[in-house]
């Protein structure tokens, strides 16, 4: 299965995730939804978030030009909010899943989808 299939089927295909990307921990975008452009600075900041969660707590999360208020940040998962919408970042063995959801999707539904995909990728070495 290609990385794009994970974005298209496992994330966007659920109807709960509106925009998504998979970043390689060594840099680069492995797959992304159409029109979801993360700048190189945003990518670097997202990757750094997992080694220094306090940065995300202090400054929020930026993705595709949008700023999200950080709700939770640790070395595996980062959750952010912007009004009724939100972002979920989850680190796997070799990648970082970046997923945004929009109202009326509730945070718990979106989080479950992203965390379960991350668990699967970790279980197969990615």
């Amino acid at each position: 299965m290609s990385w794009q299939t994970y974005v298209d089927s496992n994330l966007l295909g659920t109807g709960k995730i509106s925009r998504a990307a998979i970043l390689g921990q060594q840099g680069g975008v492995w797959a992304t939804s159409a029109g979801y452009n993360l700048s190189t600075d945003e990518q670097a900041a997202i990757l750094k978030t997992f080694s220094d969660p306090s940065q995300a707590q202090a400054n929020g999360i930026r993705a595709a030009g949008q700023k999200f208020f950080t709700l939770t940040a640790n070395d595996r998962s980062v959750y952010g909010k912007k009004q009724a919408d939100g972002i979920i970042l989850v680190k796997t063995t070799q990648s970082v899943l970046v997923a945004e959801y929009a109202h009326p999707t509730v945070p718990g539904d979106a989080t479950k989808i992203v965390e379960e995909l991350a668990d699967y990728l970790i279980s197969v070495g990615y």
Side-chain angles (χ1 to χ4, degrees):
M1 186 181 285
S2 77
W3 291 109
Q4 192 62 48
T5 302
Y6 286 112
V7 168
D8 294 341
S9 298
N10 297 74
L11 296 173
L12 300 178
T14 65
K16 303 289 183 185
I17 303 299
S18 56
R19 307 189 313 169
I22 301 175
L23 305 179
Q25 284 190 31
Q26 302 303 315
V29 177
W30 291 1
T32 186
S33 55
Y36 192 50
N37 300 313
L38 300 172
S39 73
T40 52
D41 288 345
E42 289 171 339
Q43 292 172 43
I46 286 169
L47 295 174
K48 186 178 180 198
T49 296
F50 296 98
S51 61
D52 186 8
S54 65
Q55 274 300 109
Q57 291 286 10
N59 301 317
I61 306 157
R62 289 195 175 276
Q66 301 292 315
K67 183 175 180 181
F68 295 85
F69 173 78
T70 304
L71 300 172
T72 302
N74 58 49
D75 61 358
R76 174 186 158 104
S77 303
V78 179
Y79 306 145
K81 195 107 171 108
K82 180 181 180 188
Q83 297 172 341
D85 302 337
I87 190 167
I88 302 156
L89 312 174
V90 184
K91 180 181 169 187
T92 70
T93 307
Q94 298 182 36
S95 66
V96 172
L97 305 179
V98 179
E100 290 187 31
Y101 60 91
H103 179 75
T105 298
V106 295
D109 290 347
T111 300
K112 183 176 189 282
I113 290 162
V114 182
E115 292 282 359
E116 286 178 354
L117 177 56
D119 288 342
Y120 168 74
L121 292 174
I122 290 167
S123 77
V124 295
Y126 287 100

